[in-house]
Amino acid sequence: MGKTIAQKIIDAHLVDGKAAPGCEVGLRIDQTLTQDATGTMAYLEYEAMGIPRVRTELSVAYIDHNTLQSGFMNADDHRFIRTIAKKIGVRYSRPGNGICHQVHLERFAKPGKTLIGSDSHTPTAGGIGALAMGAGGLDVAVAMGGGAYYIPYPKMTLIKLTGALQPMVSAKDVILEVLRVMSVKGGVGKIIEYGGEGVKTLTVPQRATITNMGAELGATTSIFPSDEVTHAFLKAQGREEDFIPLASDPDAEYDEVIEIDLSTLEPLAACPHSPDNVKPVRSLAMTKVDQVCIGSCTNSSYTDLMTVAKMLKGKTVSPDVSLAIAPGSRQVLSMLSENGALTDLLNAGARILESTCGPCIGMGQSPNSAGVSLRTFNRNFEGRSGTRDASVYLVSPETAAASCLTGYFTDPRTVPVGEAVAMPDHFPINDNMVDLPATPEEADAVEVLRGPNIKPLPQAIPLDDTMSLPCLLKVGDNITTDHIMPAGSKILPYRSNIPHLANYCFEVCDPEFPARAMAASGGFIVGGANYGQGSSREHAALVPLYLGIRAVVAKSFARIHKANLVNAGILPLEFKDPADCDKSSLNGTLRLENVFAGLEGGDITLVNETTGERAVLRCDISERQAKVIRAGGLLNYTREQNK
Ligand code: MIC
Ligand code: SF4
């Protein structure tokens, strides 16, 4: 039987397990990336494993999230990451060089390679044909040390593209359409491959927009073939030697096929507060707009920003709108500055931000009270912008540009169409903001510098076969890791300080939760379907661990968060009958029985100690993960393995 693209890459990297549905597979990882908001923790964990030098082909540490340096914390963390990267053999992309996914796509990602990153949008590199996955920081640390990365063997979905996009309809509209069709949980356990004649009409940055936001489907990753378009991009980046062709076999079998005719798509917007709440832009036409933000790892390539610059040239942003633009990388920004487009943006009234995540992660530019913000980003979870009652819509750069001029939601097809921006034949290459690590001989002399904000990692608590503890929180479906552990400019600087972060856990859902959890000695959380979707932040597991959470009981889990819970030594338990989750009796003191048998695949019983009501739970994890939980988390397990 023929193979899909992902199956070919998995086969070539398989080091453990069987490549079959229902099995867990361990993959050799060629490349890793970290960013600073998850990186500090990842390198602390790497250090705790005691491996002197990384064993990957390439590992890069990016500084792009925590760049609003109000206070010493972020700058200290940057210095820690810079010095430890130098010591252990990791390249360091300095702040200002760009957003990890954009820079990695431009300079490092390769077709056919495996990449994991401590950021859920690592699948951006799927646009170039890499098998690129988001992971918890500890998983990335293990991969840097040469360990395998484990995933449940995924189902394969083919999205067959035909036709070509109409003018002013963009790659963002393609992925918004996919989200409309599949929903934020539609991709869980799947790899999404793109194929069909329409693929050839999309550039690598457009493909990367689509694979980037595939994270919002909950997919393991998304991937495009590597073809002549990929070759042209790599050549333009001076990396022709990194090209290999990659395609699925003609008789490859997919579990699911979805067809999209690109020529029928129209500009779309994801409405508050979920990336799958998608509507046509024309249906929102009378909605007034307060803010427009352009950038993020989804839409800040050269062509995206040039398109915006062309649309804004000679015009003025509506006085009712604040327009902020964060170019994705220094390469992009320097190209705009060289060709004069930056001046066009400035003259139109844009507020130019540095090449970082910025407003996407709530690092500044929070909208006004009850403000309407149009963003070219990938997530519009409630409160993520920093303004609790803001309405954030996710749109294409074209829709963003058209709307910032009128002050209302505007379908970009209603503005005169100029010539489309062409992909450059040559990008200006300058890697002088990517510092090379010390050689193994020099490494000993490198001193790792740490700030006072770095606090010890929480320790896993051994499990008991029967556990009688209070239900400390009950939440609904699609809880994101932004709900569990919010980000934003005030909280992000404490990513290496779990005790401090604990004060904000579940702040959006229930501000009393941290105090309640701290007063109790241990407890459970009950969640709904797709619990833990969104960001890869392992803090959403480490903080609950610190607060004494021993198990999360839910209808289902998002992939990365479930792995993070296991890595932290917290039990992820699922209701055998999801209807049990909706019972009002899930409160008070709950008793878990037969936990150890549950780790071997047996049933665990949940008993409400007040009412006596019972429900059956399963712990759907691999044998390896059961050992990880028994060892008290992945760090302990890895240390035991390396003895
Ligand atoms: C995000 O987009 O939510 C982030 C911030 O990039 C996260 C990582 C983090 O929480 O640091 C992600 O996507 O994994
Ligand atoms: Fe940064 Fe936003 Fe991309 Fe996350 S989604 S990596 S915060 S730009």
Side-chain angles (χ1 to χ4, degrees):
M1 194 181 76
K3 286 184 186 151
T4 70
I5 304 169
Q7 283 167 346
K8 290 182 188 186
I9 305 180
I10 290 176
D11 280 3
H13 291 82
L14 192 70
V15 289
D16 197 8
K18 200 165 150 250
C23 300
E24 188 186 58
V25 286
L27 304 177
R28 178 170 46 78
I29 296 302
D30 302 318
Q31 299 189 342
T32 65
L33 69 79
T34 56
Q35 40 91 334
D36 47 339
T38 51
T40 314
M41 193 57 79
Y43 293 106
L44 288 169
E45 290 163 338
Y46 182 86
E47 254 189 333
M49 286 177 348
I51 302 171
R53 294 285 287 189
V54 298
R55 295 174 182 156
T56 46
E57 288 175 14
L58 174 94
S59 288
V60 190
Y62 292 92
I63 305 295
D64 54 359
H65 281 62
N66 284 357
T67 52
L68 197 72
Q69 290 154 229
S70 59
F72 62 90
M73 295 79 82
N74 289 339
D76 279 6
D77 281 355
H78 299 169
R79 190 181 55 173
F80 167 69
I81 294 175
R82 176 167 57 79
T83 50
I84 190 155
K86 189 165 186 187
K87 194 174 187 76
I88 66 175
V90 171
R91 293 188 205 199
Y92 176 77
S93 173
R94 300 188 206 173
N97 195 42
I99 305 174
C100 54
H101 309 304
Q102 175 68 24
V103 177
H104 209 80
L105 185 77
E106 290 167 357
R107 307 302 308 138
F108 300 113
K110 297 183 188 179
K113 295 286 180 187
T114 51
L115 162 71
I116 66 166
S118 59
D119 191 284
S120 63
H121 291 104
T122 305
T124 313
I128 213 166
L131 191 77
M133 292 160 287
L138 185 47
D139 279 319
V140 176
V142 168
M144 285 194 287
Y149 177 57
Y150 287 85
I151 52 167
Y153 190 76
K155 291 203 164 122
M156 303 287 160
T157 296
L158 174 67
I159 300 197
K160 205 166 164 190
L161 302 177
T162 55
L165 292 169
Q166 300 284 339
M168 292 289 154
V169 183
S170 85
K172 182 61 155 283
D173 301 311
V174 179
I175 186 63
L176 288 173
E177 171 66 6
V178 178
L179 274 152
R180 192 186 66 75
V181 173
M182 293 183 75
S183 91
V184 290
K185 36 182 193 289
V188 177
K190 301 176 187 170
I191 289 187
I192 318 278
E193 280 190 25
Y194 289 83
E197 284 303 297
V199 162
K200 283 207 288 280
T201 67
L202 299 171
T203 64
V204 167
Q206 285 178 311
R207 296 174 184 186
T209 294
I210 295 171
T211 58
N212 168 286
M213 213 175 160
E216 274 52 69
L217 298 164
T220 303
T221 189
S222 305
I223 189 165
F224 271 82
S226 170
D227 56 11
E228 60 276 23
V229 176
T230 323
H231 181 258
F233 178 79
L234 281 167
K235 191 165 174 223
Q237 287 285 356
R239 302 203 283 130
E240 204 176 353
E241 68 285 359
D242 290 344
F243 176 74
I244 57 154
L246 209 55
S248 57
D249 293 328
D251 56 343
E253 276 184 25
Y254 290 89
D255 299 284
E256 173 186 39
V257 179
I258 295 172
E259 295 202 18
I260 294 181
D261 179 354
L262 296 173
S263 57
T264 62
L265 293 182
E266 62 172 312
L268 297 170
C271 303
H273 298 286
S274 181
D276 61 358
N277 185 13
V278 175
K279 297 197 176 121
V281 169
R282 64 186 155 79
S283 72
L284 301 159
M286 292 315 288
T287 314
K288 205 156 171 359
V289 173
D290 299 296
Q291 184 194 47
V292 171
C293 296
I294 298 176
S296 91
C297 56
T298 318
N299 275 125
S300 56
S301 66
Y302 168 77
T303 32
D304 279 343
L305 293 199
M306 275 308 292
T307 305
V308 171
K310 278 185 74 177
M311 290 175 74
L312 263 50
K313 187 173 175 154
K315 309 211 169 81
T316 301
V317 171
S318 159
D320 294 339
V321 174
S322 165
L323 168 67
I325 301 183
S329 67
R330 188 180 55 142
Q331 184 183 72
V332 171
L333 182 52
S334 71
M335 288 172 83
L336 300 180
S337 124
E338 292 260 313
N339 70 12
L342 185 59
T343 311
D344 297 334
L345 293 171
L346 286 168
N347 286 346
R351 301 166 65 179
I352 302 295
L353 310 177
E354 61 177 331
S355 294
T356 59
C357 303
C360 180
I361 189 58
M363 275 286 177
Q365 302 292 328
S366 298
N368 54 278
S369 295
V372 170
S373 178
L374 267 60
R375 299 176 160 211
T376 65
F377 307 167
N378 47 35
R379 289 186 174 147
N380 58 348
F381 305 146
E382 196 172 3
R384 180 172 159 108
S385 67
T387 303
R388 185 104 183 243
D389 59 1
S391 294
V392 175
Y393 294 78
L394 307 173
V395 297
S396 69
E398 289 82 350
T399 301
S403 306
C404 77
L405 293 174
T406 60
Y408 289 90
F409 247 105
T410 304
D411 185 328
R413 292 172 304 173
T414 60
V415 301
V417 183
E419 227 175 87
V421 176
M423 276 293 281
D425 293 334
H426 299 285
F427 288 92
I429 313 298
N430 182 357
D431 291 330
N432 69 346
M433 296 245 316
V434 181
D435 299 340
L436 293 178
T439 61
E441 297 72 43
E442 295 159 352
D444 268 356
V446 177
E447 190 192 349
V448 177
L449 302 169
R450 296 155 220 274
N453 190 35
I454 293 181
K455 298 284 184 262
L457 302 171
Q459 294 301 313
I461 318 146
L463 293 174
D464 297 316
D465 196 37
T466 301
M467 291 191 282
S468 223
L469 291 168
C471 171
L472 291 169
L473 185 72
K474 188 169 178 204
V475 286
D477 290 347
N478 292 324
I479 283 295
T480 70
T481 46
D482 276 76
H483 290 106
I484 307 172
M485 197 53 253
S489 59
K490 290 195 207 76
I491 310 179
L492 270 171
Y494 296 96
R495 281 289 181 90
S496 51
N497 184 343
I498 299 291
H500 184 83
L501 284 182
N503 299 312
Y504 302 93
C505 191
F506 276 109
E507 200 189 27
V508 198
C509 306
D510 180 353
E512 307 302 319
F513 169 73
R516 196 161 59 243
M518 274 187 251
S521 30
F524 305 126
I525 291 173
V526 177
N530 199 25
Y531 180 88
Q533 66 156 329
S535 156
S536 66
R537 58 191 74 149
E538 62 189 330
H539 306 75
L542 293 175
V543 169
L545 170 68
Y546 174 82
L547 290 172
I549 299 302
R550 315 291 293 280
V552 179
V553 189
K555 282 186 196 160
S556 63
F557 290 91
R559 178 187 68 91
I560 305 177
H561 186 60
K562 185 172 175 183
N564 285 341
L565 287 173
V566 170
N567 291 351
I570 298 178
L571 285 169
L573 302 177
E574 281 155 279
F575 290 93
K576 210 165 173 182
D577 175 3
D580 282 341
C581 182
D582 301 320
K583 286 191 182 151
S584 56
S585 58
L586 288 166
N587 50 31
T589 304
L590 304 177
R591 190 168 70 240
L592 291 182
E593 293 173 355
N594 302 326
V595 170
F596 294 151
L599 289 176
E600 315 286 312
D603 288 349
I604 297 178
T605 311
L606 175 81
V607 186
N608 182 313
E609 294 210 334
T610 320
T611 65
E613 273 179 279
R614 304 168 91 81
V616 181
L617 308 176
R618 303 298 303 264
C619 188
D620 184 14
I621 57 174
S622 68
E623 270 174 45
R624 179 195 64 90
Q625 288 180 309
K627 287 187 196 146
V628 168
I629 293 213
R630 277 180 179 278
L634 183 62
L635 201 52
N636 290 345
Y637 176 77
T638 310
R639 283 204 206 102
E640 278 173 19
Q641 299 282 303
N642 290 346
K643 260 186 207 157

